[in-house]
Amino acid sequence: MTVATSTRSGFLSVMLRKIGTLSFLLRSAPALFLLLVVLMAVFADLIVPFDPSQQDLGNSLVGPTWQHIMGTDSLGRDVFSRMVFGSRISLIVGTSSVAVAMVIGVVLGIASAMIGGTTGEAIMRLTDLSLTLPGILIALAVAATVGPSLTNVILIIALLYWAQFARMARGEALSIRERDYVQSAYAIGCSPWRILRVYILPNLANTIIVLATLEIAAAILLESTLSFLGVGVPPPTPTWGSMIAEGRPYVELGWWTVTFPGLAIMLTVLAVNLLGDVLRDRLDPKFSNRR
Amino acid sequence: MSLRFVVGRLLQALLTILLLSVIVFGLARLSGDPINLMAPMEASPEDIATIRASFGLDKPLPVQYWYFIRNAAEGDFGRSIKWDRSAAGMLIERFPATIILSITSMLFGLLLALPVGIWSAVKRDTWFDNVGKIVALAGQSMPTFWFGILLILFFSLYIPLFPTSGYGIDIHLVLPTVTLGAFVAASIMRVTRSAMLDALEADYVRTARSKGVPEWRVILVHALKNAAIPILTITALQAATILRGAVVTETVFSWPGIGKIAIDAVYGRDFPLVQASVMFMGVVFLTINLLVDMAYVLLDPRITYLRK
């Protein structure tokens, strides 16, 4: 990136150039923030000042105080404690749904590339089809019919997201397979399994990691939307989306019930997205959009 | 655009609709017996059998699916259990509300995204560009429903400028439009910026500058014209995204469009209506995608979609 040969000086541009040198800090900020969220989720029991489901109707909708730093909700439950526990659902659903999607997608994508022929084509057609389905409606309909639960939410999101991985894995596998050193390996009698293990999977890893990161961000958003609509992980488990839904009727009396969980979603998703961008620049320069 | 391409895409769209219909049909059967919801408590087994037969639910599954498909092809998705009206009719009645909201949101999104995106590219790596980048990323990371609730909180509860919810082609449109428009503006902004950056670096822009074309003309005519294809593409793609966002936005603002109907039907376990709305939105969604693909090929002759 070339530095603009700006002849402007003055306080503002000096300050802003300083901010430019802060870009290193900015680049590691998302990872640090996510680390914080993960620690929060792991040590939730130790961190929270109150039991997240402990109702206290005498203290409902109390604004932020030293005791309740993010206030209490309409049932007198501590918003901060619920938010800390809510991070568990977001992280568990975000990572495990994408992990399931990744396994399904990569297996099908590579299978399609290696087998080829009619089977390979059929797999790709199925992938194309599922990429065009209206995801959120299907998720809603499925969640409403099979009933909401943690496992169901994870599986629903996985079933909506596997196709991206399949398409990418197939494309990459096809191009890796054509490279000279892989062709040479074939020629000296390497078994397809060995080629898969030694050449294709390691070369695929970077692209997949980048895609997975970006998909986790999308999965966390989708989970919060499903929770908000009442078809996510059912109560009493606190989730960020359901906290917003529960706070919504009382939002005029207590802005904190809605604002903090929403900020939590936004910052977490933003951090994962930024991390994805950084990873893309590092691991997968051909898709770099850094400009 | 070759005929083969058009036919191929049409066939693919039809296949997707068929897959969607299998999913939709399967879901309704997964959910348990809809008769239990329809029949009154005191219904005798004979009554239940009669109701079952009247809905064709006593037939084997493949036969039921065939009926479903045959009727769906004729636009008949059965009657809503709750409202006792034709499900398809209800959707068609509510569709204009969704279209209106989608159009205003798209216009708002473009009005917001184009100037900011163009200006970010022109003022690359300045504070304006950096702030724009962060705002766009934050916008993409923000849950739509939360943004909508915050808008209600500030602009209709704290400062009572707009109604909290309801339908009307007037100030009722403002908050839902901003919510849904912001949702699409972020992506359009990012694509506009990067397309304009490419265009501004091109030779014809340097030529235009060197022959003394005024800078605003270089930006708005020479560069923007050449950045148009990616911008149009992302805009068209966002049309499909708007439809998805509409489900949530309509719920937050009680906007009586097809998204709201779909959610209410899911809550009320009104399966004919759920089926109809998923199929309906799926078909709209696919139609938009199909049109985008074709427009893409028409706009950019470099793309041929030919297999290697």
Side-chain angles (χ1 to χ4, degrees):
Chain A
M1 206 178 292
T2 53
V3 178
T5 51
S6 153
T7 49
R8 276 193 314 163
S9 57
F11 179 70
L12 193 65
S13 47
V14 170
M15 277 311 286
L16 290 165
R17 206 156 312 136
K18 283 254 168 64
I19 292 174
T21 59
L22 281 177
S23 76
F24 168 74
L25 257 183
L26 278 177
R27 295 202 132 221
S28 40
L32 288 176
F33 179 80
L34 286 176
L35 186 68
L36 198 75
V37 178
V38 171
L39 288 177
M40 204 165 86
V42 172
F43 297 106
D45 298 284
L46 303 175
I47 297 169
V48 297
F50 294 92
D51 178 343
S53 341
Q54 178 65 50
Q55 301 187 6
D56 179 3
L57 292 173
N59 269 325
S60 69
L61 292 171
V62 174
T65 57
W66 283 116
Q67 199 188 1
H68 298 283
I69 52 170
M70 292 183 182
T72 63
D73 68 3
S74 60
L75 296 172
R77 297 173 295 193
D78 183 50
V79 172
F80 175 69
S81 308
R82 291 179 69 70
M83 214 186 75
V84 170
F85 271 91
S87 66
R88 286 188 170 174
I89 299 299
S90 289
L91 293 182
I92 290 173
V93 173
T95 49
S96 22
S97 61
V98 171
V100 176
M102 186 168 79
V103 171
I104 301 177
V106 171
V107 167
L108 284 180
I110 292 183
S112 154
M114 304 278 279
I115 299 169
T118 325
T119 322
E121 266 303 299
I123 294 175
M124 274 344 274
R125 286 285 80 81
L126 190 66
T127 310
D128 290 344
L129 292 186
S130 46
L131 277 173
T132 50
L133 291 174
I136 189 157
L137 268 187
I138 292 185
L140 262 172
V142 175
T145 43
V146 298
S149 76
L150 181 61
T151 327
N152 287 346
V153 173
I154 291 172
L155 290 180
I156 290 167
I157 298 180
L159 287 178
L160 289 177
Y161 284 6
W162 65 272
Q164 295 273 1
F165 287 102
R167 183 175 275 188
M168 180 157 266
R170 179 187 143 96
E172 290 281 296
L174 281 180
S175 89
I176 295 166
R177 208 184 53 179
E178 295 306 317
R179 285 178 202 167
D180 286 342
Y181 60 88
V182 182
Q183 289 297 319
S184 322
Y186 261 122
I188 59 167
C190 249
S191 78
W193 282 114
R194 192 178 153 78
I195 294 201
L196 183 66
R197 202 163 43 83
V198 178
Y199 300 108
I200 295 189
L201 283 181
N203 276 308
L204 212 96
N206 285 350
T207 319
I208 295 295
I209 289 171
V210 172
L211 179 63
T213 316
L214 297 172
E215 297 269 280
I216 287 175
I220 293 178
L221 263 184
L222 182 56
E223 184 277 327
S224 75
T225 306
L226 292 179
S227 285
F228 173 75
L229 293 173
V231 289
V233 180
T237 313
T239 69
W240 291 341
S242 64
M243 286 175 73
I244 295 176
E246 286 162 13
R248 188 184 157 205
Y250 311 98
V251 66
E252 197 177 3
L253 304 170
W255 54 268
W256 51 88
T257 54
V258 164
T259 310
F260 291 120
L263 271 179
I265 299 171
M266 187 175 99
L267 291 177
T268 309
V269 174
L270 181 63
V272 178
N273 271 328
L274 287 171
L275 185 70
D277 277 356
V278 172
L279 286 176
R280 173 158 47 194
D281 290 346
R282 283 279 172 80
L283 301 176
D284 204 6
K286 73 178 170 241
F287 288 110
S288 170
N289 63 352
R290 182 155 51 118
R291 312 210 31 160
Chain B
M1 189 159 42
S2 67
L3 186 67
R4 214 176 125 222
F5 169 70
V6 177
V7 172
R9 287 296 284 113
L10 273 173
L11 270 178
Q12 198 193 352
L14 277 178
L15 265 177
T16 315
I17 291 172
L18 214 57
L19 180 72
L20 191 64
S21 73
V22 174
I23 296 176
V24 163
F25 176 81
L27 275 179
R29 308 303 128 162
L30 261 181
S31 58
D33 199 340
I35 294 296
N36 295 335
L37 287 164
M38 283 184 259
M41 291 287 269
E42 64 277 9
S44 67
E46 291 83 49
D47 291 340
I48 290 181
T50 317
I51 302 174
R52 191 183 300 276
S54 75
F55 281 90
L57 293 171
D58 53 343
K59 306 266 189 332
L61 277 184
V63 177
Q64 287 188 32
Y65 177 68
W66 168 244
Y67 283 154
F68 173 68
I69 279 289
R70 204 187 53 192
N71 292 335
E74 292 170 359
D76 177 8
F77 288 92
R79 302 179 77 77
S80 152
I81 297 171
K82 190 177 165 199
W83 305 98
D84 194 26
R85 296 182 46 205
S86 148
M90 288 180 72
L91 287 169
I92 290 169
E93 196 180 295
R94 299 284 197 96
F95 195 39
T98 301
I99 294 181
I100 291 168
L101 179 59
S102 305
I103 291 175
T104 54
S105 308
M106 184 55 95
L107 289 178
F108 176 79
L110 284 173
L111 280 177
L112 189 70
L114 288 182
V116 178
I118 293 171
W119 197 241
S120 295
V122 173
K123 296 278 163 192
R124 176 181 180 179
D125 290 332
T126 60
W127 66 270
F128 183 88
D129 185 25
N130 287 327
V131 171
K133 237 188 293 190
I134 292 169
V135 170
L137 246 181
Q140 281 183 321
S141 309
M142 188 171 57
T144 324
F145 55 91
W146 180 65
F147 185 55
I149 295 173
L150 287 189
L151 285 179
I152 293 178
L153 180 63
F154 283 104
F155 298 109
S156 63
L157 295 175
Y158 287 169
I159 313 167
L161 287 175
F162 304 106
T164 53
S165 61
Y167 178 68
I169 308 186
D170 46 33
I171 49 170
H172 284 90
L173 257 170
V174 176
L175 293 186
T177 296
V178 174
T179 307
L180 197 49
F183 183 60
V184 293
S187 319
I188 300 179
M189 202 188 294
R190 295 187 85 186
V191 171
T192 304
R193 176 181 174 274
S194 79
M196 280 298 286
L197 279 180
D198 282 339
L200 282 170
E201 276 169 10
D203 291 338
Y204 48 80
V205 164
R206 197 166 344 116
T207 313
R209 278 199 183 120
S210 63
K211 71 178 191 190
V213 175
E215 186 64 19
W216 64 267
R217 223 185 123 75
V218 171
I219 296 165
L220 291 183
V221 179
H222 294 251
L224 187 59
K225 221 166 155 185
N226 284 286
I229 289 172
I231 299 175
L232 280 176
T233 310
I234 186 76
T235 307
L237 286 176
Q238 292 300 311
T241 312
I242 271 200
L243 206 61
R244 246 178 289 151
V247 176
V248 176
T249 311
E250 289 179 1
T251 309
V252 171
F253 291 97
S254 298
W255 185 263
I258 49 171
K260 177 88 169 71
I261 252 192
I263 301 267
D264 287 346
V266 165
Y267 289 157
R269 312 206 133 222
D270 192 341
F271 287 108
L273 199 51
V274 173
Q275 290 183 326
S277 44
V278 175
M279 286 303 292
F280 188 83
M281 293 184 84
V283 170
V284 175
F285 195 74
L286 286 168
T287 312
I288 295 174
N289 279 342
L290 198 65
L291 293 178
V292 171
D293 276 2
M294 295 191 174
Y296 202 39
V297 177
L298 282 180
L299 278 174
D300 193 347
R302 283 170 293 190
I303 300 156
T304 53
Y305 280 115
L306 284 180
R307 293 275 155 77
K308 269 182 236 165

